[in-house]
Every structure is written in C-alpha cells, then in structure tokens.
Amino acid sequence: MKVYRILTIIILILTSLLVMCGCVILFPLKYPDVLYKNYNVIKIENRTINGVKTAIVYQIKTNIKYNGYDLDADSKRDIGIITYYVFKNTDVDEVQIICYYAGRGRLQPYYKFKIKRKDAELSGLLNLSEKDLNTGVLYCYPKLKSLGDLWVNDKLYVQK
C-alpha cells in the first residue's frame, strides 16, 4: 500500500515537471524582466503589420526632463536598450516604441520611435554586449535616430 502511494506521488511530481517544461518550451519568455522593472515598459504586443513581424512596446514615464525639442538622456537610453533587448530576444523585423508621459492626471504622448532590424544592425547597437549596453547605447543613439523614425510631442506639458 505504501509503495503505491509513493509511486503515485513520484508520478504526479514527474507529470507536473513535464507539464512545466512543456509550457516553457511552448510558451517561452521572450522579453526579459529588466524591461518591465527598469524601463517603465507596461506592455509589449507582437503583431504582423503589412507582412512585417512587429513588436509594439508601450512605456509610461512619470518623470522626464523635457526641453521641448529633443528627448532627455534617459529617454534616448531607453530607446536604445528597449530596441536592443527586443531584437536580441525575438525574431521580429521591426520595433515600435510608444511612450506616454503621465502628468497632470492624464496620459500624454511623449514620443514614438520605429526602427527595422537591419537599421538597428547598421547602427552598431546589436553588436554591443550586455555589459557595455548602458554606455554604448548613447554612442549608438544618433545613428538609431537617423536610421529610425522618431516623433517627439512638441506640445507636451510637463509639470515642474
């Protein structure tokens, strides 16, 4: 009787382990938690738009240093790092980042950025190591900006 009970427990444990392993294989985590924890990403959608596999990344910022014409240094870094992690961890062909500023009790669009994989490769961003990412991304940003498509809200109202 005890042998059957022990065998049943072992079979249940093995079955649950196999199911968990199967779920990891069938539904792998594509995006690292660092995007959600450190870069204010709230949602990432994978879509096919006009035959192009696209990741749309939504980001909300509550603290920005906005000068009315260009992005602050933190946002430039965020664009590079988000682009890097999405391209390194998926097979999408394009990344779109839509960032909102949460000020005055409502969400306002802050910037939108879009870049194709081949352009991100040309910028040198995808050649960086994770260790050099924080500093290297600021050197790659001017190329990312020129190869990608950036829109900045020039009518954004930022509380001081």
Side-chain angles (χ1 to χ4, degrees):
M1 195 67 145
K2 281 188 171 189
V3 173
Y4 289 119
R5 187 176 294 168
I6 292 173
L7 282 174
T8 304
I9 291 172
I10 290 174
I11 290 173
L12 287 174
I13 290 173
L14 288 175
T15 305
S16 63
L17 286 174
L18 288 173
V19 168
M20 288 173 34
C21 290
C23 288
V24 170
I25 292 169
L26 294 175
F27 306 109
L29 295 174
K30 293 186 177 185
Y31 302 104
D33 288 341
V34 69
L35 292 177
Y36 300 99
K37 291 178 182 175
N38 298 344
Y39 299 102
N40 305 309
V41 171
I42 59 162
K43 181 179 179 183
I44 300 175
E45 289 181 0
N46 292 312
R47 291 188 178 177
T48 301
I49 302 172
N50 296 329
V52 178
K53 291 193 304 191
T54 304
I56 303 172
V57 180
Y58 296 94
Q59 181 184 37
I60 296 179
K61 292 183 166 234
T62 56
N63 186 15
I64 59 174
K65 296 175 182 123
Y66 178 68
N67 64 14
Y69 302 104
D70 199 12
L71 297 175
D72 58 307
D74 288 341
S75 295
K76 292 175 183 179
R77 183 203 65 218
D78 290 356
I79 285 174
I81 289 176
I82 290 169
T83 301
Y84 175 87
Y85 278 119
V86 171
F87 280 138
K88 284 290 192 175
N89 290 289
T90 66
D91 64 344
V92 297
D93 299 316
E94 183 177 87
V95 172
Q96 295 181 17
I97 303 170
I98 302 172
C99 181
Y100 294 94
Y101 169 65
R104 298 182 59 194
R106 61 188 169 103
L107 292 178
Q108 303 173 72
Y110 177 29
Y111 68 82
K112 296 178 183 179
F113 179 74
K114 176 170 62 171
I115 192 163
K116 295 189 180 306
R117 179 181 290 276
K118 66 179 175 112
D119 293 330
E121 289 171 352
L122 284 173
S123 74
L125 176 71
L126 302 182
N127 295 331
L128 296 172
S129 67
E130 256 187 86
K131 183 180 88 174
D132 299 328
L133 188 59
N134 276 327
T135 55
V137 76
L138 292 178
Y139 293 109
C140 294
Y141 176 77
K143 287 182 183 177
L144 278 176
K145 182 180 173 183
S146 66
L147 294 168
D149 184 19
L150 176 67
W151 171 83
V152 180
N153 185 358
D154 60 353
K155 294 173 179 54
L156 183 68
Y157 177 79
V158 178
Q159 288 182 331
K160 306 225 182 209

